[in-house]
Amino acid sequence: MSVFRLLLLLNCALFSLGVYGMLTRRHAIGLLLAIELILNAAALNFVLFGRLFGQAQAQAFALFIIALAACEAVVGLAIVMSLARSANTILADRVQLLKG
Amino acid sequence: MPAGPLIALAFAGLAAIVLVGAVWVVTLGNLFRAALSLGLVLLGVAGLFILLEAEFLAFVQILVYVGAILTLVVFAVMLTARVPSNPEGGVSRQRLPAAIASIALFVVLAVVTQALTWPTEAPTDAASLNALGQQLVKELLLPFEVISLVIVAAMAGAMAVAVPRK
């Protein structure tokens, strides 16, 4: 079994752990952490196959994933801060108001 | 790709770090510790990038993820520490169905990806930083510009959301 296949398995495990975190966490920041795991698995997969086929484009897309993860963290944490202020909770399932 | 027992050992060590860290991220009740173990995962992934000969990406990963995003997350955890949440840090009750679902997902993904075949012979050269830069300003110019637009929009949106309204 080559290193590539083992790393592919590692990526699957990372992705599944992220999905598990998404399903079990109620804390909004915990959800963000799980999303970061999923995005990292995707980026690692891009780099893995880019290395396998010698493509630079894969690394460019991994770069885009990192940039998008930064945007997602910024917006998500801003929402969490505003949620903590207005609804006085950060549990994602405790927020039921559509009207801020 | 370089081969050898030392490289294989490095791969195994980094994979173990990433896996253990990822398990901690999703299971630890204390969110601050979960955020710190996310840092462990991110450093492990950066190490894997280096072993896959994507050094530039490894540096970007450390700068952006560990340097910026993780700091942001830790700040948010500390700033919201006084907001009431349940004592176990918001890990829900539906652990068993979630575990079954994610293990099933892992099995499906593993079976599908391990069935893939590719020409393993003819080891290709690693993509150089030069080629990456050429890609970014030639073929991927439009996605590159769209990403910068998204970053500006995200910053403006974050400020608009986070500033308290009267």
Side-chain angles (χ1 to χ4, degrees):
Chain A
M1 213 162 169
S2 70
V3 172
F4 278 117
R5 286 188 188 274
L6 288 177
L7 274 184
L8 214 49
L9 268 186
L10 176 73
N11 283 339
C12 296
L14 208 54
F15 187 89
S16 310
L17 278 170
V19 170
Y20 175 78
M22 291 278 294
L23 290 175
T24 53
R25 287 274 186 205
R26 294 174 67 203
H27 198 292
I29 298 176
L31 287 174
L32 279 177
L33 296 185
I35 294 176
E36 301 296 338
L37 281 189
I38 293 178
L39 287 172
N40 258 287
L44 198 53
N45 235 348
F46 263 115
V47 175
L48 186 65
F49 279 106
R51 182 67 195 84
L52 194 57
F53 295 109
Q55 291 279 337
Q57 214 167 52
Q59 289 192 26
F61 273 101
L63 213 55
F64 291 158
I65 288 179
I66 293 176
L68 276 183
C71 295
E72 168 258 321
V74 166
V75 175
L77 291 173
I79 291 174
V80 168
M81 299 306 295
S82 134
L83 203 62
R85 198 162 41 227
S86 64
N88 200 29
T89 181
I90 27 179
L91 298 183
D93 55 354
R94 206 61 77 65
V95 186
Q96 294 152 334
L97 280 178
L98 270 182
K99 199 175 67 172
Chain B
M1 198 167 99
L6 216 58
I7 297 284
L9 202 66
F11 263 117
L14 285 172
I17 287 176
V18 168
L19 264 189
V20 170
V23 169
W24 279 345
V25 168
V26 295
T27 55
L28 281 185
N30 186 338
L31 212 58
F32 189 75
R33 290 185 187 164
L36 290 187
S37 34
L38 181 72
L40 198 65
V41 174
L42 297 176
L43 286 176
V45 170
L48 286 176
F49 281 164
I50 287 183
L51 283 181
L52 288 170
E53 293 173 279
E55 295 89 0
F56 178 68
L57 265 185
F59 292 128
V60 169
Q61 168 102 357
I62 291 176
L63 273 179
V64 176
Y65 256 121
V66 186
I69 296 182
L70 198 63
T71 315
L72 207 60
V73 169
V74 168
F75 259 98
V77 169
M78 292 194 291
L79 283 175
T80 56
R82 260 184 285 163
V83 177
S85 66
N86 55 347
E88 42 169 346
V91 176
S92 81
R93 293 156 297 232
Q94 51 186 3
R95 269 187 209 159
L96 189 65
I100 293 172
S102 51
I103 287 174
L105 177 67
F106 171 71
V107 170
V108 169
L109 284 178
V111 167
V112 169
T113 53
Q114 295 300 311
L116 290 177
T117 54
W118 51 74
T120 44
E121 57 278 344
T124 48
D125 291 335
S128 66
L129 186 54
N130 202 345
L132 177 60
Q134 294 283 340
Q135 284 281 339
L136 280 181
V137 294
K138 279 184 183 159
E139 277 183 53
L140 296 175
L141 189 60
L142 183 64
F144 189 68
E145 294 298 326
V146 171
I147 285 283
S148 39
L149 195 64
V150 168
I151 290 178
V152 172
M155 279 202 303
M159 280 187 259
V161 168
V163 170
R165 263 166 292 173
K166 295 178 196 91

